[in-house]
Amino acid sequence: MKLLRAFVLIWLAGTLAGCGINNIPTYDEQVKSAWAQVENQYQRRADLVPNLVNTVKGFASQEREVLVAVTEARAKVGSIQANGDLINDPQKLKQFEQAQQQLGSALQRLMVVVERYPDLKSNQNFLTLQSQLEGTENRIAVARRDYIAAVQQYNTEIRTFPGRLWHSVLYGEMEVRPNFEATTEGADQAPKVNFN
């Protein structure tokens, strides 16, 4: 009898492990990990900004307005607590993304200012910082894409069978995750390029 009970328990454990009972917590951890990578890339950008601003200051001190906008946008990003709870609160996530978008816009204006200073464009420190910033922006885009995919996989799992069953029985406290949304008005429109 004990042998039969042990066999049934082993068979049941194997069956449950293979039927997706662990998918929801696994996918939830993937969402958290993907969001941590997004934050990591935002932090990398925030760390580069002071060096970029200081390099540009030496060449373009009269462009104080743009430099102040970049510094203020970076400070606003730093004032929002980016922790694990952020991805559970759609409103805070939206505020965080808006602050990141403002920093990105300020950095774009800074790059326009740089076009006016040929000596700055040829400065090796600036070129290195510009390259790192461009690489970081690409990494942010990739990290966002990975976060979106992780959220999609998690949300699909808890809304379809058999994940929906496991969610209702074992993981009811785990909510649908908010996804990344473009916060810039007109982000869905292609930019117009004019070389005149």
Side-chain angles (χ1 to χ4, degrees):
M1 189 66 165
K2 286 184 179 185
L3 184 61
L4 178 61
R5 189 179 302 169
F7 176 75
V8 168
L9 286 174
I10 291 172
W11 176 81
L12 186 60
T15 302
L16 288 176
C19 70
I21 195 169
N22 292 322
N23 286 355
I24 293 173
T26 299
Y27 296 156
D28 183 55
E29 290 303 315
Q30 287 174 353
V31 168
K32 291 175 185 174
S33 175
W35 180 251
Q37 187 58 26
V38 170
E39 288 180 332
N40 179 40
Q41 295 309 322
Y42 281 149
Q43 184 62 51
R44 184 175 194 269
R45 177 170 68 177
D47 292 344
L48 285 173
V49 168
N51 294 329
L52 184 64
V53 168
N54 286 335
T55 301
V56 174
K57 270 184 186 176
F59 283 87
S61 58
Q62 64 270 34
E63 302 291 353
R64 182 164 305 292
E65 181 182 320
V66 173
L67 297 171
V68 167
V70 170
T71 304
E72 287 174 354
R74 182 183 180 274
K76 185 173 183 180
V77 165
S79 71
I80 297 175
Q81 291 297 324
N83 55 33
D85 293 335
L86 186 69
I87 59 175
N88 296 324
D89 186 343
Q91 187 64 26
K92 285 183 181 178
L93 182 61
K94 187 174 184 175
Q95 289 173 344
F96 182 76
E97 284 299 325
Q98 285 174 336
Q100 289 294 338
Q101 185 61 41
Q102 287 175 351
L103 179 57
S105 294
L107 288 170
Q108 287 174 349
R109 288 193 310 273
L110 181 62
M111 291 304 155
V112 169
V113 166
V114 168
E115 292 297 318
R116 296 184 204 143
Y117 297 92
D119 290 343
L120 176 58
K121 289 192 300 187
S122 65
N123 177 283
Q124 190 58 46
N125 289 338
F126 176 76
L127 292 174
T128 300
L129 286 168
Q130 184 181 25
S131 175
Q132 288 179 6
L133 191 58
E134 289 169 355
T136 299
E137 293 301 322
N138 289 334
R139 289 175 183 177
I140 288 170
V142 169
R144 284 179 182 161
R145 182 200 64 203
D146 292 346
Y147 172 72
I148 290 166
V151 167
Q152 177 191 12
Q153 185 177 31
Y154 170 80
N155 287 346
T156 300
E157 181 68 21
I158 66 173
R159 296 175 68 206
T160 59
F161 187 81
R164 187 176 188 125
L165 174 68
W166 295 123
H167 182 257
S168 64
V169 173
L170 297 173
Y171 306 111
E173 77 282 355
M174 298 173 84
E175 302 278 331
V176 171
R177 294 281 188 179
N179 215 330
F180 172 81
E181 293 180 24
T183 56
T184 303
E185 198 169 306
D188 56 342
Q189 304 293 321
K192 293 182 175 118
V193 179
N194 185 357
F195 291 108
N196 293 331

